[in-house]
Amino acid sequence: MKREELMEAVRRELPAKRWQHTLGVMQSARELARKFGADPDKAELAGLLHDYCKYWPTERQRLVILESDLPNELLQYDKPLWHAPVGAYVVSKEFGIDDEEVLDAIRYHTSGRVGMTMLEKVVCLADYMEPGRDYPEVAAIRKLAETSVEKALVAGYDSTMRYLLTKGEKIYPLTLLSRNALIDEIRERDRRNNR
Ligand code: DGI
Ligand code: FE
Ligand code: FE
């Protein structure tokens, strides 16, 4: 499928505002990839596809989880988490995307995971800080992203967790593990630099 066709296929799935968000994530992911050393084309492609299933009805997403090899355990966690793994599965089937690095960047763009690749980090961070994002912590996250993708991502997860706590929502364990792993990475690098 040509790039224009792929973009058109994604645009059709999304309300106008979410399509603008997607364009912003593509741009930010490409820039962050160049800055921090991931493949800019893969980052942009993952950015294009990352929210592909975001507006699918819950029942349609549930069916994908049940009928694919995705872990059924996902169904115990909050629905806003589903679109990431469901999206990775669906774009592999619908568009024949077979680059596992790109698929993982889509799969883990909401929660992150332990041992994230640089590509996964920049896509997740781009989602938090693309130009259209506007929430209280975004300025601080953009500032941190000038020097550290890991520190900026931790700040992103912190803002998500604070929001979830005020709402009385569950925290997805992988989000917490991902944050802890990034903090370990940051501390390890600081220790090395201070030796
Ligand atoms: O899809 P986007 O809105 O661009 O961003 P996203 O993929 O990061 O999804 C954000 C949504 O996911 C938001 O409603 C909060 C929710 N979320 C993120 N992490 C967790 C979470 N929800 C729960 N319950 N637990 C989490 O750990
Ligand atoms: Fe998303
Ligand atoms: Fe997004």
Side-chain angles (χ1 to χ4, degrees), residues 13-48:
E13 294 293 317
L14 303 174
K17 191 153 183 274
R18 180 64 48 169
W19 174 241
Q20 288 308 312
H21 162 70
T22 293
L23 292 174
V25 174
M26 290 169 74
Q27 181 197 325
S28 293
R30 170 174 280 284
E31 288 167 10
L32 290 167
R34 285 185 58 184
K35 182 172 168 67
F36 291 108
D39 184 318
D41 292 331
K42 292 188 185 197
E44 189 181 82
L45 179 61
L48 170 62

Side-chain angles (χ1 to χ4, degrees), residues 64-126:
V64 172
I65 294 170
L66 289 171
E67 289 171 0
S68 68
D69 52 1
L70 293 174
N72 283 6
E73 165 211 83
L74 269 172
L75 298 171
Q76 297 166 29
Y77 294 100
D78 292 342
K79 298 172 186 72
L81 294 161
W82 297 358
H83 75 284
V86 167
Y89 178 83
V90 169
V91 301
S92 76
K93 297 290 173 206
E94 271 190 30
F95 305 130
I97 305 289
D98 59 1
D99 185 324
E100 287 298 329
E101 292 174 18
V102 171
L103 294 176
D104 280 341
I106 299 167
R107 184 172 293 122
Y108 298 111
H109 85 262
T110 304
S111 63
R113 63 163 163 169
V114 176
M116 291 170 86
T117 63
M118 186 52 81
L119 184 69
E120 291 165 24
K121 289 175 186 174
V122 299
V123 171
C124 193
L125 179 55

Side-chain angles (χ1 to χ4, degrees), residues 18 21 50-51 54 78 80-81 83 109-110 127-128 133 160 163-164 169-172 175:
R18 180 64 48 169
H21 162 70
H50 83 287
D51 278 341
K54 177 97 180 170
D78 292 342
L81 294 161
H83 75 284
H109 85 262
T110 304
D127 200 13
Y128 275 111
R133 285 290 202 206
T160 298
Y163 167 80
L164 294 168
E169 294 285 352
K170 293 196 282 189
I171 307 280
Y172 187 48
T175 306

Side-chain angles (χ1 to χ4, degrees), residues 110-177:
T110 304
S111 63
R113 63 163 163 169
V114 176
M116 291 170 86
T117 63
M118 186 52 81
L119 184 69
E120 291 165 24
K121 289 175 186 174
V122 299
V123 171
C124 193
L125 179 55
D127 200 13
Y128 275 111
M129 60 173 272
E130 58 92 4
R133 285 290 202 206
D134 185 16
Y135 54 96
E137 296 100 325
V138 74
I141 293 172
R142 290 190 181 119
K143 184 81 195 155
L144 287 168
E146 290 172 14
T147 52
S148 168
V149 64
E150 290 82 13
K151 287 181 184 173
L153 256 188
V154 169
Y157 291 137
D158 287 356
S159 75
T160 298
M161 285 189 201
R162 262 196 297 273
Y163 167 80
L164 294 168
L165 291 174
T166 63
K167 292 282 204 177
E169 294 285 352
K170 293 196 282 189
I171 307 280
Y172 187 48
L174 200 50
T175 306
L176 182 61
L177 293 174

